[in-house]
């Protein structure tokens, strides 16, 4: 069985306050053996909050030249399609992914 272990980093906690994803990382497993990965830093088109910066360390300057989510969305969806997804803080990550 193929599974995806997924994590995101964001500009802050609340989607309602307009926070966005700045990083997506996924590892594809086949019978618990890593076989593939998907990774992207993203330009959130907004400032990173101080608290988020303390967590991940990605500055506005570092993210400024990265692709926007819309530019990687199809590749990301292709990568996860048809696979079981494992997410540590699923409500948070899914909320941000759905918002994108």
């Amino acid at each position: 069985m193929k599974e995806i272990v997924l994590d995101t980093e964001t500009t802050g906690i609340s989607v309602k306050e307009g926070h966005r994803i700045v990083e997506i990382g996924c590892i594809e497993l086949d019978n618990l053996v890593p076989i593939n990965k998907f990774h992207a830093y993203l330009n959130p088109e907004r400032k990173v909050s101080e608290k988020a910066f303390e967590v991940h360390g990605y500055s506005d300057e570092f993210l400024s030249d990265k692709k926007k989510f819309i530019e990687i969305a199809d590749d990301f969806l292709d990568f996860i399609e048809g696979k079981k997804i494992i997410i540590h803080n699923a409500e948070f990550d899914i909320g941000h992914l759905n918002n994108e």
Side-chain angles (χ1 to χ4, degrees), residues 11 14-21 44 46-47 96 99-100:
T11 60
S14 176
V15 170
K16 291 179 183 178
E17 293 177 11
H19 287 289
R20 308 273 313 270
I21 295 175
R46 65 158 291 153
K47 296 217 175 273
H96 279 83
N99 185 60
E100 294 291 348

Side-chain angles (χ1 to χ4, degrees), residues 65-98:
D65 65 347
K66 306 303 183 244
K67 292 182 178 182
K68 294 172 180 69
F69 185 88
I70 192 68
E71 295 175 272
I72 61 96
D74 288 339
D75 290 338
F76 170 67
L77 292 172
D78 288 344
F79 186 82
I80 65 171
E81 185 177 8
K83 298 169 188 123
K84 181 178 179 181
I85 302 175
I86 301 165
I87 307 171
H88 168 67
N89 190 358
E91 185 176 345
F92 178 84
D93 290 337
I94 295 296
H96 279 83
L97 287 166
N98 286 339

Side-chain angles (χ1 to χ4, degrees), residues 1-5 26-37 79:
M1 169 184 276
K2 291 189 179 178
E3 301 170 320
I4 300 290
V5 179
C26 301
I27 298 175
E28 182 178 9
L29 306 173
D30 189 0
N31 292 315
L32 302 177
V33 176
I35 60 168
N36 202 358
K37 67 180 178 177
F79 186 82

